[in-house]
Amino acid sequence: MAEPVRARRLTDQEGQRLQQIVRRGKHGSVRVRRAMIIMASASGTLVPAIARLVAADEDTVRDVIHLFNQKGLVALDPQWAGGRPRLIRDNDVEVIVAAATTRPEKLGQPFTRWSLRKLAAYLADGPRPVAIGRERLRQILHARGISFQRTRTWKESRDPDRDAKLDRIEYVTSHYPDHCFAFDQFGPLSIRQCHGACWATRKKPARLRATYHRTHGIRYFHGCYGIGDDQLWGVVREHKGAGHTLAALKSIRAARPGGYRLFVIMDNLPANKTPAIRRWARRENVELCFTPVSASWANPIEAHFGPLRTFVMGNSDYPNHTVLARKLRDYLRWRNAHARHPDVLAAQRRERARIRSERQQSWGRPNSRAA
């Protein structure tokens, strides 16, 4: 049996970038959906569950994962354009992108950032000369998602056991998906007006009340996710704490009361590692798999927080936190009701594979045409 399709291990920079795109949801819809696919796959979520998460075909999900494994974050921006053949080859484009994303000092240039003029001059006289105009250079960089923007910082995981923890998470999610769960806190959640996007008549957008003076505190959503059955549940709490974490873990054990071993992936927070939680885990035959420091993107539940912010928090104007909690419960009830049973999905995949094998068709590939 072939190995299931899965995204390769993310670097810290890739994981934090994907987490930012998924949680904020301020990019294009295609980019956000592809980020959710990559992030969910890298954290161990199965392809059928990802397909339901982003409302896409399973073959499309596999194509995005394969493209990410080959080209990295370039897979977030698919190239769907046609036209005449390009005059610049793929090798030349890779040279351009590599030079643009490298600091000039490392290439022996006496400045700290590129301009289009300086970059074009360097490419013309570089080790692999590429003659290109500034406008065409700008178009190529724009197509690859490279623009002139402010420099920011990112955290690198300095956990000495980083690779061992990621190996363990990959192992349990690959070999024991039905016994594997994830837990995390999502927030802070505020009841202030939250802008978003929705369908409306052109030049007549939906509007929210322009008042920002309600200060009723914040809340946190403590969520649990079952990887095997693709179920998400949780409660809204006023603050984080070890007691709330233990209550969430008990709800996971109650969902699988057989007494067999369970694996729970959770962030490396002090509130998740108290002696009481560790004693309970040993007594209930639960293994706690902690993500590395500054690598919360490795938690499988992270990819499922994006839709919560988009469909529950976006375009919202809740009067109080009680209404917000009720809306969250309604959305989770709807989401779980539309998560189809994995056995049915597996049977359908086997049937599609049998039919395609009889027709000598490969997965998701169109029939070749004669030139």
Side-chain angles (χ1 to χ4, degrees):
M1 184 177 179
E3 290 290 333
V5 178
R6 179 169 181 170
R8 62 167 172 80
R9 179 177 298 179
L10 303 177
T11 64
D12 292 333
Q13 192 170 8
E14 289 174 341
Q16 293 175 14
R17 178 57 177 163
L18 292 173
Q19 186 179 19
Q20 180 187 43
I21 294 174
V22 170
R23 283 211 170 194
R24 294 185 179 180
K26 295 183 179 180
H27 297 254
S29 60
V30 174
R31 191 178 178 89
V32 173
R33 292 175 67 195
R34 288 185 163 235
M36 284 196 293
I37 289 173
I38 297 170
M39 190 173 177
S41 178
S43 59
T45 306
L46 303 179
V47 170
I50 300 175
R52 294 192 297 273
L53 173 66
V54 299
D57 187 74
E58 294 182 15
D59 295 337
T60 302
V61 174
R62 293 187 181 93
D63 289 340
V64 173
I65 295 172
H66 286 310
L67 184 60
F68 170 75
N69 291 337
Q70 295 174 3
K71 298 184 178 181
L73 292 182
V74 177
L76 295 178
D77 302 301
Q79 303 296 323
W80 290 332
R84 64 171 176 79
R86 296 176 300 165
L87 301 179
I88 296 179
R89 298 169 299 178
D90 289 339
N91 295 337
D92 297 332
V93 175
E94 296 301 328
V95 172
I96 293 172
V97 172
T101 54
T102 304
R103 291 185 66 88
E105 299 99 321
K106 294 184 179 180
L107 300 177
Q109 302 300 308
F111 32 84
T112 58
R113 66 177 178 86
W114 294 111
S115 66
L116 289 178
R117 188 186 301 273
K118 289 182 173 63
L119 182 57
Y122 170 79
L123 292 171
D125 300 330
R128 295 176 56 182
V130 178
I132 186 172
R134 281 178 288 170
E135 178 59 23
R136 181 57 182 151
L137 177 59
R138 184 195 64 79
Q139 293 175 0
I140 291 178
L141 296 180
H142 177 75
R144 289 301 187 96
I146 302 174
S147 61
F148 191 79
Q149 48 189 307
R150 291 183 177 273
T151 305
R152 298 186 179 183
T153 60
W154 62 281
K155 291 183 180 180
E156 182 179 4
S157 178
R158 300 185 180 275
D159 195 329
D161 300 326
R162 175 183 182 275
D163 291 335
K165 291 179 179 179
L166 292 179
D167 288 340
R168 186 57 179 169
I169 292 175
E170 291 179 1
Y171 179 81
V172 298
T173 54
S174 299
H175 292 77
Y176 307 102
D178 293 334
H179 298 182
C180 196
F181 294 81
F183 166 76
D184 195 12
Q185 300 92 356
F186 174 60
L189 303 179
S190 173
I191 57 173
R192 292 177 58 179
Q193 290 84 353
C194 182
H195 295 278
C198 64
W199 295 101
T201 306
R202 183 174 298 178
K203 295 185 179 180
K204 293 183 179 180
R207 299 181 181 273
L208 299 175
R209 294 182 300 131
T211 173
Y212 302 95
H213 301 293
R214 291 181 297 172
T215 56
H216 297 290
I218 58 176
R219 298 293 188 272
Y220 294 91
F221 174 72
H222 290 62
C224 304
Y225 174 64
I227 296 178
D229 54 5
D230 189 26
Q231 296 290 299
L232 180 66
W233 71 94
V235 295
V236 176
R237 303 286 190 181
E238 188 174 355
H239 54 79
K240 301 179 182 180
H244 300 326
T245 300
L246 183 57
L249 295 177
K250 289 181 179 179
S251 72
I252 292 176
R253 180 76 269 185
R256 294 291 189 275
Y260 49 82
R261 192 165 186 80
L262 297 181
F263 306 91
V264 180
I265 303 171
M266 52 202 309
D267 288 352
N268 198 7
L269 298 176
N272 296 342
K273 300 185 294 184
T274 61
I277 292 178
R278 293 185 181 275
R279 287 195 301 269
W280 177 89
R282 288 194 298 267
R283 185 173 64 253
E284 298 293 336
N285 196 17
V286 175
E287 178 180 340
L288 304 179
C289 302
F290 297 105
T291 61
V293 178
S294 301
S296 61
W297 45 263
N299 195 329
I301 200 175
E302 284 289 344
H304 299 268
F305 285 154
L308 282 182
R309 182 173 295 279
T310 301
F311 296 109
V312 181
M313 301 302 300
N315 300 324
S316 66
D317 185 14
Y318 299 122
N320 51 58
H321 288 287
T322 302
V323 177
L324 171 60
R326 187 181 303 121
K327 294 298 183 180
L328 277 171
R329 288 196 300 269
D330 293 342
Y331 173 78
L332 293 178
R333 191 178 299 111
W334 176 90
R335 180 213 177 275
N336 293 332
H338 288 76
R340 297 163 59 190
H341 197 280
D343 293 341
V344 177
L345 296 174
Q348 292 178 352
R349 287 197 304 272
R350 288 193 296 268
E351 181 64 14
R352 288 197 300 267
R354 184 186 64 80
I355 295 175
R356 285 171 174 164
S357 63
E358 292 177 353
R359 297 177 180 176
Q360 297 182 354
Q361 294 179 353
S362 58
W363 282 94
R365 305 297 181 186
N367 294 329
S368 60
R369 296 180 180 178

